[in-house]
Amino acid sequence: MSKKKIITGDILKDAIKGAFIKLNPKYMMKNPVMFVVEIGFVITLFLTFFPYVFGDKGENIRGYNGLVSFILLITVLFANFAEAVAEGRGKAQAESLKKSRTDAIAKLLDSKGNFKLINAAKLKKGDIVLVETGDFIPNDGEVIEGLASVDESAITGESAPVLKESGGDFGSVTGGTKVVSDWLKVEITVTPGESFLDKMIKLVEGASRKKSPNEIALSTLLVALTIIFLIVIVTLYPMANYSKVTIQVSTLIALLVCLIPTTIGGLLSAIGIAGMDRVTRFNVIAMSGKAVEACGDVDTMILDKTGTITYGNRLAAEFIPVGRHTLEELRTEALISSIKDTTPEGKSVIELAKKQGVSINEDDYKDAEFVEFTAQTRMSGMNLSNGVQIRKGASDSIIKYVEKINGKAPTDLEAAVIRVASAGGTPLTVCVGNEIFGVIYLKDTVKPGLTARFARLREMGIKTIMCTGDNPLTAATIAREAGVDDFVAECKPEDKIAVIKKEQDLGKLVAMTGDGTNDAPALAMADVGIAMNSGTTAAKEAANMVDLDSDPTKILEVVEIGKQLLITRGALTTFSIANDVAKYFAIIPAMFAVGIARMNVLNIMGLSTPHSAILSALIFNAIIIPALIPITMKGVKYTPMKSEALLRRNLLIYGLGGLIAPFVGIKLLDLAVTPLLRILNLG
């Protein structure tokens, strides 16, 4: 994650301006806790000029009311400032994204293949455009023809260009990216203003941010606490009069503001915005705050093997003949089956066979029909012009294929498959007609460091499930080496959906990654679906997060960011409520000490005068909000541990800290405020 300053000069200037703009009551009503503080400011400001409306008396009462009013205004401004800072960081990133959105000129193709130049803003969904070297892709779309390198650094920050081609999972292109070599024909899949880049800009600006369920629940709790303390303060006034104790209305308002959870109320929105900002700075676009929080509650993580747990570059490493067939025969047939196979595996078979001395005339097979691999058949191959059919694929699929045409698997095939699978490789079985010639050993490698990362997830209480199309033996070997908790072998797209549904039926939240169109249903069903930016449009539309770097393992870090968001909110809520307890011991004794001498027993801080005690508590209540902005922006550091240990740690740090900090802070402020009040004759 890129490390940047929490507050830059531009963000500071905009945040100060935003703090005043947000004083608008229409906006403040969205935050009930701070709206109560603003109402308190208006009342005390009125009493500064008309102190006798409620019967307030006393020397220099106007000056006292004015100070209370000023501090309440500062409190609201600080809360607005915290939110504006969080929004400012998002807007700064949005500005950099807007720079990549150019008023491009598109080459619109007609039915005859000719193009005319038009403004990209005039393109419609379904239009076909030509983009050549140096051209910007005018809008989101799918490649329908061509092969080209595309520079996506404006969006992903990654300098290396990526290869885009028609078909497969790398046919999706994003508006604002640039073709650096060759050409593409692209079918536009969105209307202007609804591109992926447009959505990103709205999201990082915060314009589309909605409160998550947890945030709504906490807001409801804060409102309930505010109402309870409001009732307490209203009843306290007649009780004080009955006890022959005179309490100014401004003092009651000060008590209310100090007792309601103003700290978390002022920071709550900023915490949510900052959480989305941290995910965005990690080059992941969250489609909602709910998605980020859901990451923190994830119980089960479903991961593809290829490209996530392993590097995915399964390359042919060895030919293993079976039955009565020779090594030379297997090499030749494997090479023929791969002539038109453009996958990395197919290319590696050709390379290995040629390296071992096999030579054929590829022109002899130009009329042959290539049979592509599918998740259902789990095999590919060639139908030669002479009627011969060659297939290579998963062992069980090939066995079923030859048995359908009266063939039989050699007795030594199982041993060859087990040998490859036991080594963690993928066995690719080759057959010609109804005869199995042998096995190709495809070698894959588990990414280093994954075992430790999966162990960290286990400490968080998250179960990891690996999904792979490999046979059970290969899957078990890779799962054991990687350290995942469970695996699903010979997994088809519908199997992923079944796994997600099974876990959700147990009451668990499920996360998964994907990039292909066949992953879209599972991504939509998962509670957290992270689509790769290099993947298809269908996958990105189905997911609630998009990884701009197309790194499937990033889901591990995203889960930690989600947990950090939840912990930050919980920690600051604990700190805020603990603060209120300490402020109670500052204000209550000060309010009643004049009329009830015994109340001085509760003045455990030894505060100088009632006015200094109230103003010191009120000032501390205001300045603690900006003091906590760095924690709000960065988040509380998350360390994997059991929930009980995590709760104890946060109670010790933020609960106990929330109790101690006000005692120290209010006492220091009292020492500073008392001389000032004497000068103003308010002591």
Side-chain angles (χ1 to χ4, degrees):
M1 187 186 297
S2 58
K3 292 184 178 180
K4 298 182 181 179
K5 287 184 179 180
I6 293 175
I7 304 177
T8 64
D10 290 338
I11 291 176
L12 178 62
K13 183 173 69 174
D14 291 341
I16 292 173
K17 181 180 177 182
F20 284 93
I21 293 173
K22 291 175 184 289
L23 288 174
N24 187 331
K26 288 183 179 180
Y27 185 87
M28 292 301 300
M29 288 177 69
K30 297 177 183 178
N31 187 340
V33 176
M34 298 314 299
F35 185 54
V36 168
V37 180
E38 186 174 46
I39 292 173
F41 156 69
V42 173
I43 294 173
T44 52
L45 181 64
F46 175 79
L47 292 176
T48 301
F49 298 100
F50 307 101
Y52 306 113
V53 171
F54 293 107
D56 287 347
K57 299 177 181 179
E59 190 178 358
N60 291 329
I61 189 66
R62 280 192 175 93
Y64 172 71
N65 289 346
L67 282 175
V68 172
S69 176
F70 176 73
I71 297 170
L72 291 180
L73 174 62
I74 294 298
T75 303
V76 178
L77 287 174
F78 279 160
N80 290 346
F81 177 78
E83 184 175 352
V85 166
E87 291 176 347
R89 281 161 62 93
K91 288 177 180 177
Q93 189 166 358
E95 287 304 315
S96 66
L97 288 172
K98 286 176 181 177
K99 291 177 183 177
S100 67
R101 185 174 59 184
T102 60
D103 292 328
I105 299 298
K107 297 174 181 176
L108 178 64
L109 291 169
D110 59 24
S111 57
K112 295 180 180 179
N114 301 317
F115 69 81
K116 64 176 180 179
L117 299 177
I118 67 167
N119 192 299
K122 295 182 180 179
L123 288 173
K124 303 186 297 295
K125 187 175 181 180
D127 284 345
I128 297 175
V129 297
L130 173 68
V131 279
E132 299 175 295
T133 303
D135 292 345
F136 283 93
I137 294 172
N139 210 337
D140 296 359
E142 291 284 345
V143 177
I144 59 174
E145 189 179 337
L147 175 72
S149 294
V150 178
D151 177 8
E152 296 186 329
S153 58
I155 294 175
T156 67
E158 177 59 50
S159 58
V162 295
L163 201 64
K164 295 290 184 178
E165 59 184 327
S166 61
D169 295 338
F170 296 91
S172 173
V173 290
T174 306
T177 56
K178 185 179 181 180
V179 175
V180 293
S181 73
D182 302 298
W183 58 272
L184 296 171
K185 285 184 182 179
V186 177
E187 180 179 351
I188 303 300
T189 56
V190 298
T191 55
E194 296 181 2
S195 69
F196 180 61
L197 188 58
D198 290 315
K199 291 178 182 177
M200 284 172 59
I201 291 169
K202 291 176 184 177
L203 287 164
V204 296
E205 280 182 328
S208 299
R209 197 188 89 87
K210 294 180 181 179
K211 287 186 177 181
S212 65
N214 285 340
E215 194 173 348
I216 292 171
L218 182 55
S219 297
T220 303
L221 174 63
L222 298 183
V223 170
L225 289 174
T226 301
I227 293 172
I228 290 171
F229 283 119
L230 186 60
I231 294 171
V232 169
I233 296 303
V234 170
T235 56
L236 193 62
Y237 189 75
M239 289 172 60
N241 287 338
Y242 180 78
S243 302
K244 303 294 189 292
V245 175
T246 301
I247 302 178
Q248 287 99 359
V249 172
S250 54
T251 298
L252 286 172
I253 291 173
L255 175 62
L256 173 64
V257 170
C258 285
L259 291 185
I260 64 177
T262 50
T263 305
I264 187 62
L267 295 173
L268 184 59
S269 182
I271 293 170
I273 295 171
M276 289 189 69
D277 178 63
R278 282 195 294 275
V279 172
T280 303
R281 289 177 184 276
F282 206 70
N283 251 8
V284 174
I285 297 297
M287 300 306 180
S288 67
K290 180 181 178 181
V292 180
E293 286 201 10
C295 288
D297 289 326
V298 164
D299 302 295
T300 303
M301 190 180 296
I302 297 174
L303 302 151
D304 276 328
K305 186 203 79 170
T306 306
T308 304
I309 293 174
T310 64
Y311 281 110
N313 52 343
R314 300 183 305 170
L315 305 179
E318 184 183 355
F319 296 109
I320 307 170
V322 296
R324 60 185 180 81
H325 297 286
T326 65
L327 179 58
E328 185 65 26
E329 288 176 325
L330 174 59
R331 289 171 179 164
T332 303
E333 300 301 335
L335 173 56
I336 295 171
S337 72
S338 305
I339 290 174
K340 296 185 179 182
D341 188 348
T342 58
T343 64
E345 293 88 347
K347 292 176 181 177
S348 72
V349 170
I350 295 172
E351 185 179 348
L352 181 62
K354 289 183 176 179
K355 188 177 180 180
Q356 294 184 0
V358 178
S359 177
I360 62 171
N361 185 359
E362 295 186 10
D363 288 339
D364 294 340
Y365 303 96
K366 64 181 181 180
D367 295 328
E369 177 192 2
F370 176 63
V371 179
E372 291 191 8
F373 177 91
T374 68
Q376 284 70 35
T377 63
R378 297 170 60 233
M379 67 174 76
S380 65
M382 296 275 276
N383 292 334
L384 306 184
S385 55
N386 60 4
V388 175
Q389 296 182 343
I390 306 174
R391 297 287 186 272
K392 67 177 189 293
S395 177
D396 60 324
S397 297
I398 294 294
I399 291 173
K400 290 177 183 177
Y401 175 78
V402 299
E403 286 178 347
K404 281 184 179 179
I405 49 178
N406 301 319
K408 188 177 180 182
T411 55
D412 55 346
L413 174 62
E414 184 178 357
V417 170
I418 291 174
R419 173 193 152 191
V420 173
S422 299
T426 301
L428 207 60
T429 304
V430 179
C431 73
V432 180
N434 64 357
E435 288 190 50
I436 294 177
F437 277 48
V439 174
I440 304 171
Y441 176 7
L442 296 181
K443 196 171 184 179
D444 202 354
T445 308
V446 173
K447 293 181 178 180
L450 276 185
T451 304
R453 297 173 80 182
F454 287 139
R456 287 175 63 192
L457 289 172
R458 200 170 293 112
E459 289 176 14
M460 298 180 204
I462 297 174
K463 177 183 178 182
T464 50
I465 301 175
M466 179 186 78
C467 289
T468 175
D470 291 333
N471 64 70
L473 192 54
T474 302
T477 303
I478 296 293
R480 185 169 56 252
E481 186 179 344
V484 295
D485 298 311
D486 200 359
F487 66 89
V488 179
E490 299 175 349
C491 184
K492 295 186 280 294
E494 54 267 29
D495 294 329
K496 292 181 184 178
I497 296 174
V499 173
I500 293 171
K501 191 172 185 304
K502 178 182 176 183
E503 293 294 316
Q504 289 175 334
D505 288 344
L506 295 173
K508 298 180 179 180
L509 263 69
V510 181
M512 78 159 286
T513 62
D515 58 3
T517 300
N518 60 356
D519 290 326
L523 287 169
M525 177 170 283
D527 300 285
V528 178
I530 303 182
M532 302 299 102
N533 188 46
S534 62
T536 62
T537 302
K540 287 189 278 189
E541 288 180 349
N544 48 23
M545 286 186 170
V546 177
D547 175 20
L548 301 180
D549 295 329
S550 300
D551 176 8
T553 62
K554 197 181 287 184
I555 191 172
L556 307 177
E557 282 81 6
V558 171
V559 166
E560 289 193 352
I561 292 173
K563 287 190 175 293
Q564 185 186 41
L565 171 61
L566 295 176
I567 290 169
T568 300
R569 184 180 295 141
L572 293 182
T573 301
T574 303
F575 185 88
S576 177
I577 293 174
N579 258 256
D580 295 340
V581 175
K583 285 179 283 188
Y584 170 88
F585 284 99
I587 293 185
I588 293 295
M591 289 173 58
F592 289 93
V594 176
I596 306 175
R598 291 181 181 178
M599 289 294 289
N600 275 316
V601 176
L602 293 176
N603 186 15
I604 57 179
M605 296 188 204
L607 303 178
S608 303
T609 66
H611 282 165
S612 73
I614 292 165
L615 291 174
S616 297
L618 208 54
I619 292 170
F620 178 85
N621 189 65
I623 64 176
I624 198 65
I625 294 175
L628 292 174
I629 287 178
I631 295 177
T632 302
M633 296 296 104
K634 290 183 178 179
V636 175
K637 185 178 179 181
Y638 172 68
T639 304
M641 62 178 69
K642 291 184 177 179
S643 56
E644 297 86 356
L646 191 62
L647 178 62
R648 283 197 301 270
R649 189 193 73 170
N650 284 343
L651 284 175
L652 182 65
I653 297 174
Y654 295 97
L656 187 59
L659 282 172
I660 295 173
F663 280 95
V664 176
I666 291 172
K667 180 61 180 177
L668 292 175
L669 286 167
D670 178 70
L671 295 174
V673 166
T674 300
L676 178 63
L677 293 181
R678 286 172 183 163
I679 293 172
L680 298 174
N681 199 23
L682 293 172

